[in-house]
Amino acid sequence: MIQQHQFTSAAKALVWAVLASALLLGGCTSVSLSRAPVEDRGNPNASTPTATTTTVAGTSTTATAAPLKPLPGIENAGKPGYYTIRPGDTMIRIGLDTGQNWRDIARWNGLENPNLIEVGQVLRVIPPGTAETTPGSFIPRPVTVPPTVVGTAIPPAGTRTATATTPTAAVTTTTAPVVVTPAPSPVSTAPVPAASSAGDDDVAWIWPTSGAVIAGFDEAKNKGLDIAGKAGDPVLAAGDGRVVYAGAGLRGYGNLVILKHNNTYLTAYAHNQTLLVKEDQTVRKGQKIAEMGQSDADRVKLHFEIRRQGKPVDPARYLPTR
């Protein structure tokens, strides 16, 4: 009976010891399960690191996140002579819209791979050292024509990683292959003087082909004239100038030639089956630069554009009356 009483007393003492220990620990530590980690992402254009604070089980830890890199050239956004990349842009498109050679734009901005550009990135679209005037005034280098012109077309320019709605999505342009043949006739050797800003509006235009106009200018739907013809019909330079693009890298234009005539105007000749010139080649008004076709089009035709400082204008207002 005495032993049983001693055992019961010892058991009670053990229980009280365990309860006391539990109460002591409970008073020193509290656990919160309802509070989620807190993250401060900071300014997306900031170049300084951001701090992330996490609170779990009554303790706080702070970790420094990697800095968010600003878009290239963002400090020049909105300035005259600079262009902010929009969804769907390519370097060729930017060159056409600013009246520049896309290769020059890539060089002015130090782009190692012109196929990799981002929406929101800002590019210089006038030569370094050129006076930055009013927005939209893109001032290319003067055009000169040497005594002779000989050349063949270069392969189509490649496309870039597109930045339409998702900047990392890749888009590949598929167009008809560029067929290259030698120029059929010699070129006059009479020199052409360098273009000057004073005479930029004095281009003596000619029609690029003799077919009938099947679609007129519409700034929203058709940025030039569509001219009918037969496959292989000659496509002529509408004025003296320099080739700033020859290839099939611009979606919707097929085999395309772009000529820069002076500090104001360029012309575009689309849907050809054969290109007879190459980039940086100088050409004469009336020179055969391509053969008509239907690359990236529903029928044989020439799509012809005149652009004034990169903006499409109605060619019918500039071409002579037939």
Side-chain angles (χ1 to χ4, degrees):
M1 190 69 178
I2 294 175
Q3 291 179 348
Q4 183 179 0
H5 177 73
Q6 291 176 345
F7 176 77
T8 301
S9 299
K12 290 181 178 180
L14 179 60
V15 171
W16 281 111
V18 171
L19 291 175
S21 298
L23 290 174
L24 181 61
L25 290 174
C28 296
T29 304
S30 63
V31 179
S32 174
L33 299 178
S34 61
R35 297 185 61 188
V38 177
E39 183 175 351
D40 181 11
R41 298 182 181 273
N43 186 343
N45 290 325
S47 58
T48 55
T50 58
T52 300
T53 303
T54 304
T55 303
V56 176
T59 60
S60 297
T61 58
T62 301
T64 301
L68 297 173
K69 186 178 180 181
L71 289 168
I74 193 68
E75 68 279 3
N76 296 315
K79 293 181 180 179
Y82 291 87
Y83 180 92
T84 300
I85 297 174
R86 299 171 294 185
D89 276 342
T90 66
M91 289 299 294
I92 301 169
R93 169 69 68 181
I94 294 169
L96 184 63
D97 288 345
T98 60
Q100 297 287 23
N101 186 333
W102 69 271
R103 295 183 187 276
D104 289 339
I105 297 175
R107 186 176 68 254
W108 298 335
N109 291 276
L111 301 180
E112 295 182 0
N113 186 352
N115 294 330
L116 299 178
I117 55 177
E118 302 176 74
V119 170
Q121 182 177 348
V122 180
L123 298 177
R124 168 182 281 273
V125 290
I126 58 173
T130 302
E132 297 170 0
T133 54
T134 57
S137 299
F138 307 108
I139 308 173
R141 64 188 181 188
V143 178
T144 57
V145 179
T148 59
V149 178
V150 179
T152 55
I154 61 171
T159 58
R160 68 166 177 86
T161 299
T163 55
T165 54
T166 55
T168 58
V171 174
T172 301
T173 300
T174 303
T175 57
V178 179
V179 181
V180 179
T181 60
S185 59
V187 181
S188 171
T189 58
V192 175
S196 64
S197 58
D200 278 354
D201 288 328
D202 300 328
V203 177
W205 301 103
I206 65 169
W207 283 82
T209 192
S210 59
V213 175
I214 56 176
F217 176 80
D218 185 317
E219 190 170 357
K221 299 178 181 179
N222 190 34
K223 300 184 184 300
L225 301 179
D226 289 349
I227 306 173
K230 302 185 302 295
D233 280 355
V235 175
L236 310 178
D240 299 328
R242 177 171 55 90
V243 181
V244 294
Y245 181 74
L250 188 58
R251 186 175 183 180
Y253 283 78
N255 296 330
L256 171 68
V257 175
I258 301 175
L259 301 182
K260 185 69 185 177
H261 299 283
N262 52 34
N263 290 348
T264 302
Y265 292 103
L266 59 76
T267 51
Y269 311 75
H271 306 310
N272 304 288
Q273 72 174 12
T274 306
L275 303 184
L276 303 175
V277 292
K278 64 180 182 179
E279 288 186 22
D280 287 328
Q281 178 180 335
T282 48
V283 298
R284 294 305 198 95
K285 177 176 66 175
Q287 179 181 339
K288 183 178 178 180
I289 60 174
E291 292 179 352
M292 194 181 298
Q294 62 179 80
S295 56
D296 213 358
D298 57 354
R299 59 168 294 174
V300 175
K301 64 182 178 181
L302 172 68
H303 175 75
F304 174 69
E305 295 183 8
I306 295 179
R307 297 213 173 203
R308 190 178 191 279
Q309 293 182 339
K311 181 181 179 180
V313 294
D314 186 357
R317 295 171 50 197
Y318 295 82
L319 297 173
T321 303
R322 286 179 169 178

